[in-house]
Amino acid sequence: MLKKMTIGKKLTLGFGLVIGMVVIMGIVAIYQLFNINTHAKDLEERIDKINMAAFIRKTVKDIYIDIRDLLLTDDIKIREEKRKAIEEKRKAYREKLEELSKITRSEKGKAILKELQDAIADSREVVNKTMELSFANKNKEAIEFFNREIPKRSERVDKALDAVVQFQYENARKRIVEIEASIKNEILIFIVFLSVSTLLGVFFSLLISRSVRKPVTDLKEIFQRVSQGDFSVESKVDSKDEIGMISSSLNEAIKNIRRLIAETKTVSESLASSSEELSATTEQISKNLKSQTERASQIASAAEEMSQTVIDIAKNASQIAEVSVT
């Protein structure tokens, strides 16, 4: 498959896979962090619930102390102050109970919270009855009633609050375990993805390097042989990438050079044959020219002799003419 891909596409594929693994790892990491954040918020909420339970316990205890102080004093002003303090503390723990009720979602948690609300309501009735007796100038009866009924109600409230705290503590421990597990999973997933990404990166680096290095080495050897004048070589690189294109062009160039050499050889042979024929023709012409030169020389000699003969005849004729005149 890599033979049909360009170098750019090979590099894109390799880096794309590595980047894809990194992106997947990032998505998984974000998902795990989201889970950890959710568990952390739930843990924080349960800690708030435990703190609310502790506040309610302290407030109820303070109310019991205020009732005790109210029963132990005859000062009307102090008794009124204590009653106001009790009402303010009741308002404070009611707000916490309402807030606790709003953020309690499980059925078991709601059942435990319902028991706490019932225990506090029962205790509130005893406190109200005690204050009614006390403000009705029946302080002795109020003290007896308080000492007889409050311990049971206080114990019930404490048990209900202990149940709330224990329930929230157990769930908080579960969330801590889940957070620790999520962190371990996150580390494990990170290690796995990092290892896989590294292996993929190394694998594709070697694969791409091999797919490039071997053809380049083959082409280098072919270029060296061609530079030495060996045009019988042919590149076997048949990939579809840039190196394959260079290989194809090189083979085409070698073919053209071989064809050019063949044509040149044919022309050279033709020229050699023509040169031999020209040489023979030149030699024949030279021979003919030499023969013609010799003939011309003979003719020139004959002409010279004839000329001399004519001159001699002319002299003799002149002499004969002179003699005749005389």
Side-chain angles (χ1 to χ4, degrees):
M1 183 183 73
L2 289 177
K3 286 186 177 182
K4 298 180 180 180
M5 300 175 65
T6 63
I7 296 175
K9 289 182 178 179
K10 292 175 184 177
L11 293 173
T12 301
L13 175 62
F15 284 111
L17 286 173
V18 174
I19 293 172
M21 292 295 295
V22 172
V23 170
I24 294 173
M25 182 173 64
I27 293 172
V28 173
I30 291 172
Y31 176 75
Q32 290 293 335
L33 290 174
F34 176 78
N35 285 338
I36 292 172
N37 184 58
T38 301
H39 294 327
K41 286 183 177 180
D42 185 76
L43 178 61
E44 183 180 1
E45 185 178 280
R46 294 189 184 281
I47 292 173
D48 289 340
K49 290 176 181 178
I50 292 173
N51 291 332
M52 290 177 194
F55 176 82
I56 292 170
R57 187 193 300 274
K58 182 179 181 302
T59 305
V60 171
K61 294 295 182 184
D62 289 343
I63 289 174
Y64 292 155
I65 292 172
D66 288 337
I67 286 291
R68 184 198 62 188
D69 293 341
L70 185 146
L71 294 173
L72 294 177
T73 183
D74 293 330
D75 192 326
I76 299 298
K77 183 178 180 181
I78 294 176
R79 289 159 67 87
E80 287 295 335
E81 289 176 355
K82 291 296 179 181
R83 184 166 64 178
K84 289 180 180 179
I86 290 171
E87 291 301 326
E88 289 175 358
K89 289 171 182 176
R90 281 178 172 175
K91 181 180 178 182
Y93 77 63
R94 276 197 296 267
E95 289 177 355
K96 293 297 181 182
L97 279 173
E98 289 176 1
E99 187 176 351
L100 193 58
S101 179
K102 289 179 181 179
I103 60 177
T104 300
R105 290 173 288 276
S106 67
E107 294 300 323
K108 185 177 180 180
K110 290 178 180 180
I112 293 173
L113 183 59
K114 179 67 168 55
E115 171 59 23
L116 175 61
Q117 291 171 336
D118 292 343
I120 290 177
D122 190 20
S123 175
R124 185 168 58 248
E125 290 179 2
V126 172
V127 171
N128 289 339
K129 181 66 175 177
T130 301
M131 285 194 297
E132 287 177 7
L133 291 172
S134 177
F135 280 99
N137 295 322
K138 296 179 181 179
N139 209 43
K140 185 177 180 181
E141 291 180 24
I143 293 173
E144 291 176 355
F145 179 77
F146 180 81
N147 290 334
R148 183 176 67 250
E149 300 296 335
I150 282 298
K152 297 178 184 178
R153 273 62 179 187
S154 177
E155 183 179 359
R156 183 184 177 188
V157 170
D158 285 339
K159 286 182 178 179
L161 286 167
D162 289 340
V164 171
V165 171
Q166 183 64 26
F167 176 74
Q168 300 302 332
Y169 176 77
E170 289 174 356
N171 282 280
R173 285 298 307 165
K174 289 180 182 178
R175 292 294 175 267
I176 291 173
V177 171
E178 290 173 355
I179 290 172
E180 291 175 348
S182 296
I183 293 173
K184 289 179 181 178
N185 289 335
E186 177 67 21
I187 294 173
L188 179 62
I189 291 171
F190 178 78
I191 293 173
V192 170
F193 272 94
L194 182 62
S195 301
V196 172
S197 299
T198 302
L199 290 175
L200 281 176
V202 172
F203 173 75
F204 275 98
S205 295
L206 293 175
L207 189 63
I208 294 172
S209 175
R210 184 177 179 276
S211 68
V212 173
R213 185 178 65 251
K214 188 177 183 303
V216 169
T217 302
D218 294 342
L219 287 176
K220 179 182 177 183
E221 293 178 357
I222 292 173
F223 275 116
Q224 287 177 344
R225 292 177 64 180
V226 169
S227 67
Q228 294 171 0
D230 184 3
F231 296 100
S232 63
V233 295
E234 184 177 357
S235 175
K236 303 297 183 182
V237 179
D238 59 350
S239 60
K240 301 299 181 182
D241 57 8
E242 290 83 348
I243 296 177
M245 296 176 186
I246 294 174
S247 173
S248 178
S249 298
L250 177 61
N251 287 334
E252 189 67 25
I254 292 174
K255 288 180 182 178
N256 291 334
I257 292 173
R258 283 203 296 261
R259 185 172 62 252
L260 182 61
I261 290 174
E263 292 175 355
T264 303
K265 184 177 180 181
T266 302
V267 172
S268 297
E269 291 175 351
S270 177
L271 288 173
S273 177
S274 299
S275 177
E276 290 177 357
E277 292 177 359
L278 181 62
S279 177
T281 302
T282 303
E283 185 178 354
Q284 184 63 37
I285 292 172
S286 178
K287 288 180 179 180
N288 293 333
L289 183 61
K290 183 177 181 181
S291 176
Q292 293 293 330
T293 302
E294 289 177 354
R295 288 180 181 179
S297 178
Q298 290 176 0
I299 292 171
S301 296
E304 185 178 354
E305 290 178 357
M306 289 178 66
S307 176
Q308 186 63 42
T309 300
V310 170
I311 293 173
D312 290 342
I313 291 172
K315 285 181 178 182
N316 290 332
S318 176
Q319 290 176 1
I320 292 173
E322 291 177 358
V323 170
S324 298
V325 172
T326 305

